[in-house]
């Protein structure tokens, strides 16, 4: 089959690889119809996530048709149209029983590697390094889906792929980011990053009752999407000091909740600050560029919530722990527990409450995946989200 493989830093290639096979009684094989390039895939593309190997198959946002199931998979059968959550979860461990699917205790066969970096291991993830299991990803013609009796959900015929595939990651992640804010009537929510997750976090904050949503980014076309689809006020951080602007917009209090939807490859309008973190990251004295996280903590009103859904992988410098502790801030974070959200968010789509496909800007065949990565990386042609059809 054809699959998108990581070939080294800033290099991917569509290659021929063996078709996946059933390896466990709870496996399924899915013929992929639609997959996507995620912003967190760019962290792999740029070489910031450890334990990648040449030839690893990328992709953790995908859906398609079930073609084969293991003997213990009784909820699916060949021909079913499904969307697959990106965290791989057993459904039976303590974490899964608590709904914390992205920290499943049984799905990462390389847990020992992750434990050396993180203390305890999170769940395995499709196409996201050997640190998180070494599973083949979904930017391919077929994928093996472990624990298929827990993860995939059936998609009704009336819901198109372009909407349904958003349930694999970006829509649940954005929604969880907003949900963690504990939004109450009258609340102001600020979102750093107007990429796919940030846009859906902003839209989800509106769904959950935020009175005002403020989105911070530097690309006018992405800020335009935030205004159009989330009714957001916007700040371009290259033109404006973010802390000053947020204080002005909130009568000096700061937002009630702040969402970091940027993660480890942040950018900053101040050239000196950006150069400092960029240099430290380049020589691996820190693994992240946490500009958005720092600003979110400093901007949030005292006693407010900082929700972190941007992907981080290691260690940050100059974390403002003094502001965090002394101002009684609350931080909630995590890779999304997608299995908790797929069904209720599918129902929201079916009721017409939201169409998450508004984030899609580019559609191309799987064979053009290397081109898609370059366009997405460089934000060419107003790129927001690349969908790959198989």
């Amino acid at each position: 089959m054809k699959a998108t493989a990581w070939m080294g830093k800033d290099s991917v290639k569509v290659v021929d690889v063996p078709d996946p096979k059933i390896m466990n009684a709870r496996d399924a094989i899915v013929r992929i119809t639609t997959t996507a390039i995620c912003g967190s895939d760019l962290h792999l593309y740029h070489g910031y996530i450890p334990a990648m190997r040449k030839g690893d198959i990328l992709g953790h946002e995908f859906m398609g048709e079930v073609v084969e199931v293991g003997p213990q998979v009784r909820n699916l059968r060949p021909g079913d149209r499904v969307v697959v959550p990106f965290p791989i979860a057993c459904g039976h461990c303590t974490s899964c029983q608590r709904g914390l699917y992205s920290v499943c205790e049984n799905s990462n066969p390389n847990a020992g590697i992750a434990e050396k970096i993180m203390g305890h291991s999170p769940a395995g993830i499709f196409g996201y390094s050997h640190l998180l299991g070494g599973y083949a990803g979904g930017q391919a013609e077929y994928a093996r889906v472990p624990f298929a009796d827990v993860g995939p959900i059936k998609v009704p015929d009336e819901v198109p792929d372009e909407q349904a595939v958003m349930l694999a990651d970006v829509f649940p992640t954005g929604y969880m980011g907003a949900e963690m804010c504990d939004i109450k009537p009258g609340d102001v929510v600020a979102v750093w990053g107007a990429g796919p997750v940030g846009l859906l976090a902003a839209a989800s904050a509106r769904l959950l009752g935020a009175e005002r949503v403020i989105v911070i980014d530097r690309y006018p076309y992405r800020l335009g999407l935030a205004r159009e689809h989330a009714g957001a006020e916007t700040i371009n951080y290259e033109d404006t000091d973010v802390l000053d602007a947020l204080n002005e917009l909130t009568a000096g209090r700061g937002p009630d909740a702040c969402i970091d939807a940027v993660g480890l490859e942040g950018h900053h309008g101040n050239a000196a600050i950006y150069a400092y973190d960029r240099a430290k990251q380049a020589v691996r004295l820190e693994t992240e560029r946490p500009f958005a996280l720092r600003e979110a903590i400093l901007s949030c009103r005292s006693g407010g919530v900082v929700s972190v859904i941007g992907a981080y992988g290691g260690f940050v410098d100059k974390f403002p722990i003094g502001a965090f502790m002394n101002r009684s801030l609350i931080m909630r974070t995590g890779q999304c527990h997608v299995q908790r959200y797929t069904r209720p968010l599918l129902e929201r789509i079916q009721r017409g409450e939201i169409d998450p496909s508004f984030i899609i800007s580019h559609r191309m065949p799987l064979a053009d995946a290397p081109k898609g990565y370059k366009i997405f990386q460089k934000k060419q042609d107003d790129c927001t989200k690349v969908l790959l059809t198989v």
Side-chain angles (χ1 to χ4, degrees):
M1 70 171 186
K2 299 289 186 183
T4 306
W6 186 82
M7 305 305 288
K9 185 176 181 292
D10 297 330
S11 177
V12 301
K13 185 178 181 181
V14 177
V15 298
D16 290 304
V17 299
D19 289 359
K21 297 179 180 180
I22 296 286
M23 298 175 64
N24 184 284
R26 296 174 67 189
D27 285 353
I29 304 298
V30 173
R31 180 183 66 81
I32 295 165
T33 55
T34 301
T35 182
I37 301 173
C38 181
S40 60
D41 287 328
L42 295 181
H43 305 327
L44 301 173
Y45 185 69
H46 294 149
Y48 289 123
I49 303 298
M52 288 294 292
R53 300 174 188 169
K54 184 177 181 180
D56 283 348
I57 299 172
L58 299 172
H60 58 269
E61 296 179 295
F62 62 95
M63 66 172 295
E65 178 187 340
V66 175
V67 295
E68 186 180 0
V69 296
Q72 291 185 23
V73 179
R74 299 181 179 89
N75 58 316
L76 301 175
R77 62 184 180 180
D80 284 342
R81 183 166 168 253
V82 296
V83 61
V84 181
F86 78 84
I88 300 169
C90 74
H92 298 302
C93 68
T94 300
S95 293
C96 287
Q97 289 296 304
R98 292 175 176 174
L100 303 174
Y101 296 99
S102 72
V103 288
C104 172
E105 297 158 26
N106 293 321
S107 65
N108 185 358
N110 299 330
I113 302 174
E115 287 165 0
K116 292 178 181 178
I117 299 174
M118 302 180 187
H120 296 277
S121 175
I125 293 178
F126 290 102
Y128 217 79
S129 87
H130 294 267
L131 178 72
L132 299 177
Y135 291 97
Q139 290 169 12
E141 293 179 321
Y142 293 88
R144 179 178 77 92
V145 179
F147 303 118
D149 54 333
V150 175
I153 66 164
K154 298 177 187 178
V155 178
D157 290 340
E158 66 269 19
V159 179
D161 275 26
E162 291 196 354
Q163 292 182 335
V165 75
M166 299 296 125
L167 295 169
D169 179 0
V170 284
F171 186 17
T173 297
Y175 188 91
M176 188 175 100
E179 185 183 70
M180 290 191 297
C181 293
D182 191 23
I183 295 169
K184 296 177 176 59
D187 275 1
V188 178
V189 177
V191 181
W192 274 256
V197 169
L199 289 168
L200 287 168
S204 296
R206 280 290 192 194
L207 281 178
L208 292 172
E211 182 171 312
R212 296 169 65 197
V213 177
I214 304 167
V215 175
I216 300 106
D217 202 280
R218 64 175 172 143
Y219 293 100
Y221 73 92
R222 303 206 310 187
L223 294 171
L225 288 170
R227 291 190 292 270
E228 179 180 355
H229 293 280
E233 302 163 67
T234 59
I235 297 171
N236 186 325
Y237 65 76
E238 289 194 328
D239 299 336
T240 309
D241 182 279
V242 174
L243 272 68
D244 288 346
L246 287 172
N247 280 330
E248 184 174 341
L249 289 167
T250 60
R253 292 178 66 248
D256 298 284
C258 294
I259 301 174
D260 171 6
V262 177
L264 68 91
E265 289 191 75
H267 185 273
H268 199 279
N270 184 304
I273 294 174
Y274 179 73
Y276 171 85
D277 279 293
R278 191 76 176 85
K280 292 201 73 170
Q281 189 183 50
V283 297
R284 299 302 189 261
L285 291 176
E286 66 174 335
T287 56
E288 336 285 296
R289 301 196 299 266
F291 309 120
L293 181 58
R294 293 181 190 131
E295 281 192 346
I297 290 169
L298 296 174
S299 301
C300 193
R301 72 158 169 83
S302 295
V305 176
V306 177
S307 171
V308 184
I309 51 173
Y312 289 92
F315 303 93
V316 303
D317 191 15
K318 291 184 167 47
F319 182 85
I321 187 64
F324 181 72
M325 181 268 171
N326 286 289
R327 295 199 295 110
S328 300
L329 296 176
I330 299 165
M331 184 180 291
R332 298 190 178 107
T333 186
Q335 292 281 6
C336 184
H337 310 297
V338 176
Q339 288 87 337
R340 188 198 298 173
Y341 298 99
T342 44
R343 209 168 297 280
L345 293 184
L346 174 61
E347 292 171 0
R348 283 188 180 268
I349 292 172
Q350 289 178 288
R351 292 194 297 265
E353 295 176 18
I354 187 171
D355 177 1
S357 66
F358 77 84
I359 64 173
I360 301 167
S361 60
H362 290 69
R363 300 158 179 86
M364 57 188 68
L366 177 67
D368 288 344
K371 175 184 174 183
Y373 269 86
K374 289 182 179 178
I375 291 172
F376 194 23
Q377 174 202 15
K378 298 180 181 298
K379 308 293 185 290
Q380 294 173 344
D381 192 27
D382 289 355
C383 183
T384 307
K385 183 74 171 176
V386 178
L387 224 58
L388 302 171
T389 53
V390 183

